[in-house]
Amino acid sequence: MTREPTPDAVNRALGATIQKQEREIAMLRRALLEAAEKLDRAGWRQSADLARDAAS
């Protein structure tokens, strides 16, 4: 017979998952902003704007 997890255990697991996802989102935003800078320098203004919009 398996025991059901306690509400505290579930909350801790969800909290850890949320923190990991927040870190991944921040990393993706930074990558999009870096890409936007490179696109701007290459003259691809519309694509740079799209990357900036996606990062926000």
Side-chain angles (χ1 to χ4, degrees):
M1 181 171 158
T2 59
R3 292 180 44 197
E4 288 194 29
T6 65
D8 285 340
V10 171
N11 284 338
R12 280 193 304 277
L14 288 174
T17 299
I18 289 168
Q19 286 179 350
K20 180 182 177 194
Q21 289 177 341
E22 287 172 340
R23 285 191 303 271
E24 290 172 350
I25 289 168
M27 178 188 66
L28 292 170
R29 282 187 176 140
R30 282 191 301 271
L32 282 165
L33 291 173
E34 288 175 22
E37 286 180 30
K38 291 177 182 179
L39 288 164
D40 253 341
R41 280 186 255 134
W44 293 61
R45 305 281 184 254
Q46 188 175 7
S47 295
D49 289 343
L50 289 171
R52 275 190 285 276
D53 288 346
S56 61

